[in-house]
Amino acid sequence: MESHTQAGAHLDVPMHVVHFLIGGLIVLAIAIPLLIHLKRRYQKAGTTTSKNLQNEKNRSDIIFNAIADGVVLLDTKGIIQAFNPAAATITGWTDKEAIGLDYRSVLTLTDAKGQEYADGQAPLAIALSQHREIKDNTAMLKLRSGKSLALSLIVSPLLDDKQQFLGAVAVFRDVTAERTEEKQRAEFISTASHEMRTPVAAIEGYLALALNDHVSQIDAKARSYLEKAHASTEHLGKLFQDLLTSARAEDGRLMNHPEVVEMGEFMEQLADSLRFAAEKKGLSVDFMIGASGDVTATGSKVVKPLYYTHVDPDRLREVITNLFDNAVKYTPSGKISLGLTGDREVAQVYVRDTGPGIPTDDIPHLFQKFYRVDSSATRTIGGTGLGLFICRKIVELYNGRIWVESEVGKGSTFYINLPRLESQQAESLRKQEAASQPIMGEIASLSAPGL
Ligand code: ADP
């Protein structure tokens, strides 16, 4: 025992502990280099990934595969060359199945009503044949299961440096949920405004009776209160009417019976009925058909060009009246010009005023719902901000375009372009319409009164 304690450095350690320590050292000897190796490998893998990202091909592959929108690459003949995973999820086709097929087998598109597009009118067909970008937010995709999805789609042509056409790329996403929500919202607005119009009309009627000298005797104070109430009720009635029209325009339920319209005659009648409101405000009105070069004089007769369009005259009257009413409303003094001109392709209507003009920043938003210019010249004048939105929706029904050119302090000109029919086309359409008139009459008498 003593020798043990004297030895000092000698420890009486049990053998299993010694074995344990030796084993631990061996494990450490193996594990540390392994960990260092793994760490290096990990770092190396990291640099490989960032190298991969720097490599152009890998980078585009990674983006192509990771992007949440469906992306489909087509060659000049419409054969699918690439199909990303999102396209596979949306369409239900795998890339292996889809690549090499004509796009029409995989992307079976219909319009918003589920009708197949006419020959060459599908968005992809237009991009492939006309080499231009097509945006479509109304298309539906028919799945193999028979179900349909609402799509938001952009097809862009692919052109090389020399503007040589290489094919097209379609980028799309499933917007079924958004569209259902939009539809529900529009339905709610449409029902609510329809229901509210009736009591508002009754209040307006009773206020009008109270203000009528032959019916009621009221003092000056009561009259001034009732006049204010009447003006506000009128505004409310207009707001509900506009809400109803815009909700119907959005969900495609706007009553619309297009027919062949000779724009010159139509505009002449309209100008006659509109000028009164402007002249009452002290504004002068002029109306002109054709640019000065278009009108030719033969002897004493003036030959004006005939501009035929295919539109619902009631709807078009609504649009032009709205533009004219705005011109009257926002122009304190000066002139309003109403005109019709055009070329082989389009009939163009314009409404020009000498009012306050519209700031450049506001112009891109002007045809959006509820947009009102916040300028001192127009802010105080009542309105709903729905008129121009409704105008755009109606003009778009006829594949037309509406826009404004304006200069602050000088005035604004609103333009409408509508596709022009050739005289022969107009004639044959008129014959077709006349032939289907009795049937249309019966349908109209069966349907509920619309807007
Ligand atoms: P509302 O006139 O009921 O407000 P609109 O949609 O018809 O709604 O017009 C939107 C806005 O555009 C108006 O609030 C007004 O600021 C501006 N605006 C429209 N027409 C004219 C015009 N002729 N001149 C100046 N501003 C105009």
Side-chain angles (χ1 to χ4, degrees), residues 21 24 67 94 132 140 342 362 386:
L21 286 172
I67 206 159
T94 65
R132 62 183 174 95
M140 305 287 292
D362 291 299
L386 282 167

Side-chain angles (χ1 to χ4, degrees), residues 363-369 388-389 391-392 402-404 414:
I363 288 181
H365 310 286
L366 213 61
F367 295 90
Q368 289 167 5
K369 235 189 296 183
L388 292 179
F389 170 75
C391 288
R392 173 168 68 86
I402 180 166
W403 75 102
V404 64
F414 284 82

Side-chain angles (χ1 to χ4, degrees), residues 72-91:
V72 176
L73 184 68
L74 307 177
D75 68 8
T76 51
K77 295 198 173 80
I79 304 296
I80 298 175
Q81 301 298 319
F83 201 77
N84 79 338
T89 311
I90 297 171
T91 60

Side-chain angles (χ1 to χ4, degrees), residues 93-368:
W93 290 71
T94 65
D95 56 346
K96 286 195 182 68
E97 288 173 322
I99 291 172
L101 291 183
D102 185 303
Y103 76 88
R104 279 166 292 201
S105 326
V106 179
L107 298 173
T108 318
L109 297 181
T110 62
D111 65 14
K113 289 182 185 143
Q115 305 280 331
E116 275 185 26
Y117 285 98
D119 248 6
Q121 292 309 304
L124 281 106
I126 298 176
L128 284 172
S129 62
Q130 299 177 16
H131 308 174
R132 62 183 174 95
E133 187 180 276
I134 301 290
K135 288 186 187 155
D136 193 322
N137 284 318
T138 57
M140 305 287 292
L141 174 70
K142 242 182 163 173
L143 300 178
R144 282 194 279 190
S145 63
K147 276 209 293 191
S148 281
L149 296 180
L151 280 198
S152 167
L153 170 84
I154 299 184
V155 196
S156 312
L158 298 170
L159 303 168
D160 67 10
D161 303 346
K162 292 176 189 121
Q163 298 299 300
Q164 195 88 22
F165 180 61
L166 303 174
V169 63
V171 180
F172 52 91
R173 65 174 57 172
D174 174 9
V175 291
T176 313
E178 287 91 326
R179 222 170 280 166
T180 312
E181 263 175 40
E182 264 170 38
K183 212 170 156 206
Q184 283 167 348
R185 238 188 342 253
E187 253 167 40
F188 170 74
I189 293 175
S190 159
T191 315
S193 32
H194 185 73
E195 292 303 320
M196 286 189 271
R197 250 182 353 164
T198 320
V200 168
I203 299 170
E204 203 184 321
Y206 282 116
L207 287 171
L209 282 178
L211 286 165
N212 187 332
D213 288 338
H214 301 295
V215 183
S216 325
Q217 263 92 51
I218 48 171
D219 65 19
K221 212 170 187 182
R223 174 169 294 280
S224 95
Y225 294 153
L226 289 182
E227 270 168 358
K228 285 190 182 104
H230 189 246
S232 294
T233 322
E234 246 179 11
H235 177 74
L236 202 60
K238 165 107 176 77
L239 178 64
F240 288 143
Q241 179 61 56
D242 282 358
L243 275 173
L244 187 59
T245 314
S246 64
R248 291 196 173 167
E250 274 180 296
D251 67 13
R253 283 192 297 140
L254 207 57
M255 286 284 254
N256 174 35
H257 300 298
E259 60 187 66
V260 173
V261 173
E262 200 290 288
M263 293 294 291
E265 196 187 328
F266 172 83
M267 289 293 294
E268 227 161 292
Q269 285 174 3
L270 190 54
D272 271 349
S273 67
L274 291 175
R275 66 169 64 242
F276 175 71
E279 285 165 356
K280 204 171 138 200
K281 196 180 168 182
L283 300 165
S284 64
V285 177
D286 71 24
F287 170 59
M288 185 162 137
I289 296 184
S292 36
D294 287 354
V295 186
T296 49
T298 52
S300 60
K301 243 181 137 193
V302 173
V303 181
K304 289 176 184 166
L306 293 175
Y307 293 103
Y308 291 107
T309 59
H310 196 238
V311 297
D312 182 329
D314 293 335
R315 291 279 163 236
L316 186 61
R317 195 173 297 115
E318 232 173 281
V319 173
I320 299 166
T321 305
N322 203 321
L323 297 182
F324 193 89
D325 284 351
N326 275 352
V328 174
K329 192 161 76 168
Y330 296 110
T331 306
S333 63
K335 186 168 89 172
I336 297 175
S337 313
L338 190 61
L340 170 69
T341 169
D343 58 24
R344 278 173 60 94
E345 308 279 313
V346 295
Q348 183 174 87
V349 175
Y350 62 86
V351 182
R352 180 170 299 136
D353 64 54
T354 54
I358 298 159
T360 319
D361 287 351
D362 291 299
I363 288 181
H365 310 286
L366 213 61
F367 295 90
Q368 289 167 5

